[in-house]
Amino acid sequence: MEATTKIKKSVLIRQRKEQEKAQQGGASVAKLQNCPTSPRKMRLVVDLIRGVEVEKALNTLKFLNKEAAVRVEKLLVSAIKNWEAKNEGQRVEDSNLVVKEVSVGGGRQNKRMRPAPQGRGYRIRKRSNHVTLIVGSKNDIN
């Protein structure tokens, strides 16, 4: 009996999420998975654009001298395109789009060995991250 109720709950949750996605207007999301940059380096870039207007954020990322900035810039452009697809009748320039939320989480780590003295090996962890970026109009911010 418990298994069927769990399945029903998961189906209801999935249906509610699909309805929220299909809802016209509101914020749009773009995600970047398994980006081969350490989360610490990515957070330095992401902190610069959190809560900033979209045009200003794009200019900041374009002229920032970090490798992660190129990836975040592409992600921001993708989020803007998602917003345009969701809100067909509105223009980006008129709607005062803002970077609402940006979060960086740790991703998969590739573990490698580097030769060390006396026949040992030192472990190297090549880190990656996941970035989630949410763009919405200034009026929607609570």
Side-chain angles (χ1 to χ4, degrees):
M1 284 296 194
E2 287 183 22
T4 57
T5 56
K6 286 183 181 180
I7 291 171
K8 287 179 184 177
K9 284 182 181 178
S10 66
V11 168
L12 289 174
I13 291 170
R14 188 180 317 120
Q15 288 174 348
R16 189 184 69 217
K17 287 185 178 180
E18 287 174 2
Q19 287 174 353
E20 289 174 359
K21 269 188 182 178
Q23 180 183 358
Q24 191 73 359
S28 66
V29 180
K31 292 183 181 181
L32 177 63
Q33 302 284 336
N34 291 319
C35 178
T37 309
S38 72
R40 185 175 181 178
K41 292 177 184 175
M42 186 64 83
R43 283 188 193 105
L44 290 172
V45 173
V46 163
D47 289 341
L48 294 173
I49 65 165
R50 187 176 287 123
V52 177
E53 293 178 5
V54 169
E55 293 85 13
K56 187 175 178 184
L58 282 172
N59 287 333
T60 303
L61 292 171
K62 186 171 186 171
F63 295 108
L64 193 63
N65 192 16
K66 290 196 176 286
E67 182 188 342
V70 176
R71 298 169 196 264
V72 176
E73 183 182 5
K74 286 177 76 172
L75 185 68
L76 181 57
V77 169
S78 174
I80 293 168
K81 296 291 183 187
N82 291 344
W83 186 89
E84 286 177 353
K86 201 173 189 183
N87 305 293
E88 291 178 9
Q90 299 176 347
R91 291 181 46 199
V92 176
E93 294 83 17
D94 299 337
S95 60
N96 295 331
L97 282 185
V98 173
V99 179
K100 278 184 160 183
E101 291 180 36
V102 186
S103 61
V104 178
R108 170 180 290 168
Q109 290 184 11
N110 290 335
K111 295 189 176 144
R112 301 288 183 256
M113 296 298 285
R114 168 166 285 165
Q118 298 180 358
R120 286 186 295 240
Y122 291 156
R123 185 175 293 136
I124 296 175
R125 293 175 299 189
K126 297 192 174 193
R127 299 174 188 266
S128 66
N129 62 54
H130 305 312
V131 184
T132 305
L133 195 141
I134 301 175
V135 171
S137 66
K138 205 177 257 188
N139 305 340
D140 296 342
I141 296 177
N142 297 335

